């Protein structure tokens, strides 16, 4: 969804060597928390969504332990949850989201539950 060139232009620095992996994981992390479909190119918040992905890539580059940390010990299958520290999968996902990416998604209306938002869903 985003390219190395976009990353380099946005941050003014070289993209990480594992850019493809970070982009894939970042996109999936953000998709797991948004409450609306991923914006399409004709949506006004499409470019902002791409910026959120770039922010998440950068966040994971400097916090790589968040990608591999599975220390919660909890397991969830549907509405059944067992073990862990009392947090659910949503709060685990939220703790892995870049604060800048979160603000972008919030301002785009991608984290809100009401009908409407930046596009006609």
């Amino acid at each position: 969804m985003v390219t190395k060139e976009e990353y380099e232009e946005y941050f003014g620095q070289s993209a990480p060597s594992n850019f493809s992996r970070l982009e894939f994981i970042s996109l999936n992390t953000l998709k797991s928390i948004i409450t609306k479909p991923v914006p399409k190119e004709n949506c006004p918040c499409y470019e902002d969504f791409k910026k959120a992905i770039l922010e998440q890539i950068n966040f994971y580059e400097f916090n790589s332990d968040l990608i591999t940390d599975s220390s919660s010990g909890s397991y969830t299958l549907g509405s059944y949850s067992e073990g862990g520290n009392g947090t659910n999968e949503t709060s685990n996902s939220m703790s892995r989201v870049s604060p800048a990416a979160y603000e972008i998604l919030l301002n785009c209306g991608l984290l809100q539950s009401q009908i409407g938002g930046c596009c006609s869903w």
Side-chain angles (χ1 to χ4, degrees):
M1 185 159 213
V2 296
T3 64
K4 283 185 177 184
E5 292 77 21
E6 289 172 315
Y7 181 95
E8 291 170 353
E9 182 180 326
Y10 185 75
F11 286 106
Q13 64 188 32
S14 297
S17 59
N18 59 345
F19 180 84
S20 295
R21 178 176 186 258
L22 293 177
E23 192 265 345
F24 175 77
I25 294 168
S26 296
L27 177 59
N28 283 306
T29 297
L30 298 183
K31 285 168 63 176
S32 76
I33 65 162
I34 61 175
T35 56
K36 303 208 173 161
V38 172
K40 299 204 181 331
E41 285 188 53
N42 60 347
C43 178
C45 64
Y46 177 75
E47 291 300 318
D48 286 337
F49 184 72
K50 287 175 60 173
K51 288 177 184 174
I53 295 170
L54 293 170
E55 290 288 350
Q56 188 65 36
I57 291 168
N58 191 58
F59 185 71
Y60 275 152
E61 179 183 14
F62 293 104
N63 298 285
S64 59
D65 56 314
L66 294 175
I67 296 171
T68 57
D69 183 23
S70 60
S71 61
S72 70
S74 63
Y75 302 93
T76 303
L77 179 61
S79 62
Y80 175 78
S81 181
E82 180 178 314
N85 57 8
T87 60
N88 61 29
E89 189 172 332
T90 303
S91 36
N92 287 340
S93 292
M94 289 304 292
S95 68
R96 296 178 176 177
V97 175
S98 155
Y102 178 83
E103 289 177 9
I104 292 168
L105 297 173
L106 186 63
N107 289 329
C108 269
L110 293 172
L111 296 177
Q112 300 170 359
S113 59
Q114 74 260 21
I115 297 175
C118 71
C119 293
S120 299
W121 306 106

